[in-house]
Amino acid sequence: MQNIADVNSQYLEQFKYITALRDKLLSYYGYTPKATVVTFGCQQNVSDSEKLKGMLVSAGYILTDDETETDFIIFNTCAVRGHAEDRVYGNIGKVKALKKANPKLIAAVCGCMAQQEIVAEKIKKSYPYIDLVMGTQVFHRLPEFIYKRINGSKRIFERTLQNEPIVEDIPISRDGKYKGWLPIMYGCNNFCTYCIVPYVRGRERSRDPYKILEEAKAMVKAGYKDITLLGQNVNSYGKGEAHGINFAKLLRMINDIEGDFVIRFMTSHPKDCTIELLDTIKDCKKISRHLHLPFQSGSSRILKLMNRYYDREGYLSLIKAAKERIPDVSLTSDIIVGFPGETYEDFAETLSLVKEVQFSSLFTFIYSPRNGTPAEKLPDPVSREEKGKWFDELLLLQEEIAENNIKNTVGKEFRVLCEAKADTEGYLIGRTNGTVSVIFKADDSLLGQFTDVRIDSYNGSYMGTKI
Ligand code: 5AD
Ligand code: SF4
């Protein structure tokens, strides 16, 4: 937890509410209340949730995952695909029963769904037991909203999206002790035609590089050994900023921090992945040998319709440049199957690209129409069932490639960070600076430290021996 005394003027306004809540909560509940944060979606949300937890703990709540004993519950939601939204509605529906059992329970919805007007209206009408709805750029005002609601305010719906400067110094309660998220930018300017993110997270805004550096140094000092820099498109970090520090330079600055740790980052957009960045990864020993480079489709025709600003050839030459400079690089990607108007011939180009690149793993999605995006208005003649068949074909291909990856990995030695205890007593889970996780026999005292492991076999997970 960040020390509340460190909070500087940027967060002073909310700090006043935090201080007021510390007294108010005790008199309102008659005991120290509990709070629950339920997170859906991407790492950006996981990172935002660590700030929600930080604010709640600072205000005097104890965190709990048990929804039946909680006094405050917040759902940090994802809108990227319909499936994620359906899960959220199922979850917030449960609040009715929770409130019956605890009438003083306060319930909130934030994140990308909450930012959409259509969702906020639906909650207003159909979920009267939700007290607060907060958009993506006002979530730092949580202490104020709770304070106002406890003091008798009407239900609060605050979704201002003005792309104002990033609010720094929000208290943070990180989930992990060795692995931590470090957001470097928020929002997205790319407007891929299928994607809701630019509409719900607003324009790209980069954090001050010296704030990032300060936070990275503090994390290293606190014992973090694996730091992931986060942003919707980290490669465009610093664009248009007077300080002139781009993502590659920022990486070099973090790499120069003294200490033994791994730097990861996500997500990268191929159009902004420069040779300077590849050279930086090659040169800097602390940077993970892993590039998550979503290509979405192997068909140049579909990439154009997606508004991705690169074509199949451009992507493949980028991969070639990455492999030349970083021979041990692990490549991963996101793929959308069944974009409106995609034919089997287009999809076959996705299959052939997957075969050619040999990714370590893939995140594959069936296209999901998103309200208000350009792709939603395109003709989409291929049935869901047909898209499902294509999707299965892609999974099958990736399984074959995975078998190859396994063959190439077993027998090799890696330096891993001991991240967690395995299910079996006396075993730990370690992760390479790429994407491989391995289970091996070791003492708990190694948790949070690096060690060398040889990978012996694979039986659903890699099994290894500490060297
Ligand atoms: N339908 C399916 N997948 C999507 N993604 C983003 N929007 C959609 C959508 N409408 C996928 C992309 C992106 C990942 C985070 O989610 O592959 O890279
Ligand atoms: Fe969405 Fe494209 Fe921005 Fe990624 S780069 S968040 S897919 S609009």
Side-chain angles (χ1 to χ4, degrees), residues 93-319:
K94 289 193 298 191
V95 171
K96 191 176 181 182
L98 294 174
K99 268 207 164 167
K100 223 176 209 164
N102 176 7
K104 283 189 174 172
L105 172 68
I106 296 176
V109 179
C110 69
C112 293
M113 269 174 82
Q115 189 60 49
Q116 293 173 274
E117 190 169 352
I118 191 172
V119 174
E121 285 306 314
K122 182 167 170 176
I123 294 177
K124 210 178 248 175
K125 285 202 192 87
S126 311
Y127 298 84
Y129 38 84
I130 298 296
D131 301 277
L132 314 174
V133 173
M134 308 189 292
T136 53
Q137 292 188 3
V138 295
F139 83 99
H140 62 282
R141 288 170 61 195
L142 178 67
E144 170 190 343
F145 299 145
I146 298 179
Y147 183 82
K148 287 183 173 164
R149 184 66 174 157
I150 283 183
N151 281 286
S153 136
K154 287 195 302 202
R155 298 168 77 200
I156 296 169
F157 290 79
E158 179 56 73
R159 300 169 30 257
T160 318
L161 192 70
Q162 284 176 336
N163 303 310
E164 280 168 359
I166 293 162
V167 177
E168 293 285 353
D169 307 311
I170 302 173
I172 178 160
S173 170
R174 293 190 197 277
D175 294 335
K177 278 199 223 150
Y178 325 116
K179 271 171 64 175
W181 310 111
L182 176 44
I184 62 167
M185 61 182 303
Y186 296 89
C188 182
N189 286 352
N190 293 321
F191 291 95
C192 301
T193 52
Y194 51 80
C195 187
I196 192 100
V197 168
Y199 305 93
V200 292
R201 288 235 170 225
R203 295 293 64 72
E204 268 174 22
R205 291 161 304 137
S206 295
R207 284 181 72 191
D208 180 298
Y210 297 100
K211 281 276 179 196
I212 297 171
L213 210 58
E214 204 179 282
E215 191 170 338
K217 279 183 189 159
M219 288 174 80
V220 172
K221 203 167 160 204
Y224 285 89
K225 295 282 182 353
D226 188 313
I227 298 174
T228 304
L229 310 180
L230 283 183
Q232 245 74 45
N233 177 14
V234 286
N235 306 153
S236 61
Y237 173 82
K239 260 190 195 166
E241 300 283 349
H243 54 63
I245 295 171
N246 65 12
F247 183 54
K249 293 202 177 73
L250 181 74
L251 278 174
R252 285 190 191 269
M253 285 160 69
I254 299 176
N255 185 73
D256 285 345
I257 297 174
E258 227 171 274
D260 195 5
F261 61 98
V262 177
I263 309 162
R264 301 178 193 269
F265 55 87
M266 65 190 319
T267 281
S268 301
H269 193 305
K271 79 175 166 60
D272 300 307
C273 182
T274 58
I275 297 297
E276 183 194 6
L277 174 61
L278 298 178
D279 283 336
T280 303
I281 300 172
K282 181 184 78 178
D283 295 345
C284 297
K285 292 290 158 280
K286 291 174 192 163
I287 301 178
S288 149
R289 266 55 199 143
H290 171 207
L291 261 180
H292 181 63
L293 260 185
F295 72 89
Q296 313 295 0
S297 167
S299 152
S300 295
R301 187 181 80 83
I302 295 297
L303 287 170
K304 196 153 195 193
L305 289 174
M306 287 178 163
N307 196 32
R308 290 290 289 179
Y309 295 99
Y310 57 87
D311 59 11
R312 177 188 175 89
E313 287 66 37
Y315 185 81
L316 285 172
S317 60
L318 182 61
I319 294 294

Side-chain angles (χ1 to χ4, degrees), residues 3 26 32 42 107 110 162 198 204 263 275-276 298 321-322 325 329 338 345 369 397 402 421 443-444 456 461:
N3 183 346
L26 262 183
T32 303
C42 66
C110 69
Q162 284 176 336
E204 268 174 22
I263 309 162
I275 297 297
E276 183 194 6
R325 283 170 179 77
V329 68
E345 285 66 38
L397 170 62
K421 292 184 196 180
D443 195 80
D444 288 1
D456 302 321
S461 309

Side-chain angles (χ1 to χ4, degrees), residues 391-408:
F391 186 81
D392 292 345
E393 204 177 333
L394 176 59
L395 291 192
L396 215 63
L397 170 62
Q398 185 56 25
E399 270 172 34
E400 282 168 28
I401 294 170
E403 275 177 33
N404 241 351
N405 291 338
I406 291 165
K407 274 192 212 131
N408 291 333

